[in-house]
Amino acid sequence: MMKNRSKMSTKRKFVADGVFYAELNELLTRELAEDGYAGVEVRTTPHRTEIIIRATKTQNVLGEKGQRIRELTSVVQKRFDFAEGAVELYAERVQNRGLCAQAQAESLKFKLLAGLAVRRACYGVVRFVMEASAKGCEVIVSGKLRGQRAKAMKFGDGYMIKTGHAGQVYTDVAVRHVAMRQGMIGIKVSIMLPHDPKGINGPKIPLDDVVTILEPKEEPSPESILQAQQAAEAAAAVAAQQAALQQQMLAQQQAAAAAPVEPTMQAGF
């Protein structure tokens, strides 16, 4: 698949990249679910393809002496027809897992599998996210939660934008499916990220409706402006007078140097 990329048209290349990312993401989601898998980034260079796996427990992803990451590299290489050494896998730790929707969805999934009550598990996730300086959080759990009738429960806190460009940039969404004994349960975690000028914990782009009002500058009074002008004029007049004096002294010195010196009479002649 990856060998024939150079011969593909642009449209087919985009589709192939999308399919590759989707399949890789599904593989890593299933394989690294217990290690806090939080997404993958694919960087393609002319010489090789770098795959960065984001997770909360990077040591578990690497394995003992890097064995597990080598096994994953081998699986990806054989499945997608990469040449020997043409693909590299790296593990990157999630800086703030409270602001990562995928990590929180996985956490909620394992809480429900462990038998924790739905309300308690969801409110725990919402509180953890809000304590991590998020602007808002929403957790939706749907399925046969209690009894045979399926229903959906929604838990939220804070501020949440769902539409427009801000909804795409500021909202991190993750969906997971939990195979419970009574049936399949769906989980959706949405986190509204905070604005971060450095772009570490959230987007650099400020929200459209956030207006920063600056303090007005102090305007000088007319009296102070007049006094400043008079002081400047006086300083300029003094400087001009000093310059004229210096020129006069310089002219006198030059005249004295240019005058002829009369020879003095020596005694005895």
Side-chain angles (χ1 to χ4, degrees):
M1 176 182 169
M2 290 293 150
K3 286 178 183 176
N4 304 325
R5 282 185 88 257
S6 56
K7 301 173 187 176
M8 287 182 189
S9 66
T10 309
K11 192 199 296 187
R12 286 179 181 275
K13 200 175 285 186
F14 272 99
V15 173
D17 287 345
V19 170
F20 169 66
Y21 179 85
E23 193 169 335
L24 181 67
N25 186 45
E26 184 67 24
L27 166 71
L28 296 172
T29 303
R30 294 187 183 189
E31 185 66 31
L32 306 173
E34 294 181 20
D35 306 315
Y37 172 71
V40 65
E41 183 186 347
V42 181
R43 293 177 188 166
T44 308
T45 60
H47 302 293
R48 61 180 181 177
T49 303
E50 295 177 351
I51 297 170
I52 295 113
I53 301 166
R54 297 176 67 243
T56 54
K57 301 173 185 173
T58 47
Q59 202 56 47
N60 294 3
V61 174
L62 294 171
E64 193 176 344
K65 296 180 182 177
Q67 184 182 348
R68 195 173 188 195
I69 199 93
R70 284 198 299 273
E71 288 173 1
L72 287 169
T73 307
S74 175
V75 167
V76 171
Q77 181 186 322
K78 287 173 182 173
R79 168 65 187 87
F80 297 105
D81 275 342
F82 281 106
E84 190 72 35
V87 63
E88 282 285 336
L89 266 69
Y90 302 98
E92 183 185 29
R93 186 184 293 278
V94 176
Q95 295 296 328
N96 191 346
R97 63 192 182 94
L99 298 176
C100 178
Q102 294 201 42
Q104 293 308 309
E106 287 291 348
S107 166
L108 181 56
K109 174 182 172 180
F110 284 106
K111 281 180 182 177
L112 294 176
L113 286 170
L116 195 65
V118 175
R119 280 178 190 275
R120 191 171 177 185
C122 292
Y123 277 125
V125 167
V126 169
R127 190 174 67 251
F128 185 80
V129 169
M130 293 306 293
E131 284 172 0
S133 74
K135 277 195 169 183
C137 176
E138 185 182 71
V139 177
I140 301 172
V141 181
S142 60
K144 288 197 272 188
L145 304 173
R146 196 186 303 161
Q148 284 299 302
R149 185 64 183 243
K151 62 177 180 177
M153 295 173 78
K154 191 181 284 189
F155 306 88
D157 193 9
Y159 179 58
M160 179 70 64
I161 292 178
K162 297 185 180 181
T163 57
H165 182 247
Q168 295 172 0
V169 174
Y170 270 84
T171 312
D172 189 16
V173 182
V175 176
R176 290 289 181 273
H177 305 102
V178 190
M180 303 285 280
R181 195 178 63 220
Q182 64 267 32
M184 193 66 81
I185 286 179
I187 294 170
K188 185 178 181 182
V189 178
S190 305
I191 298 173
M192 176 83 178
L193 301 171
H195 170 61
D196 185 6
K198 294 180 180 177
I200 298 168
N201 290 329
K204 287 183 180 180
I205 309 165
L207 284 167
D208 299 330
D209 57 348
V210 174
V211 180
T212 307
I213 299 171
L214 302 174
E215 287 292 324
K217 293 180 180 177
E218 289 187 11
E219 292 186 8
S221 62
E223 292 86 1
S224 63
I225 294 173
L226 193 62
Q227 286 174 2
Q229 284 179 350
Q230 288 172 351
E233 286 172 3
V238 169
Q241 195 174 359
Q242 287 178 351
L245 279 169
Q246 283 178 355
Q247 282 183 350
Q248 192 176 355
M249 288 173 65
L250 189 65
Q252 287 175 358
Q253 287 173 0
Q254 285 175 351
V261 181
E262 293 181 3
T264 55
M265 295 294 289
Q266 291 183 0
F269 289 95

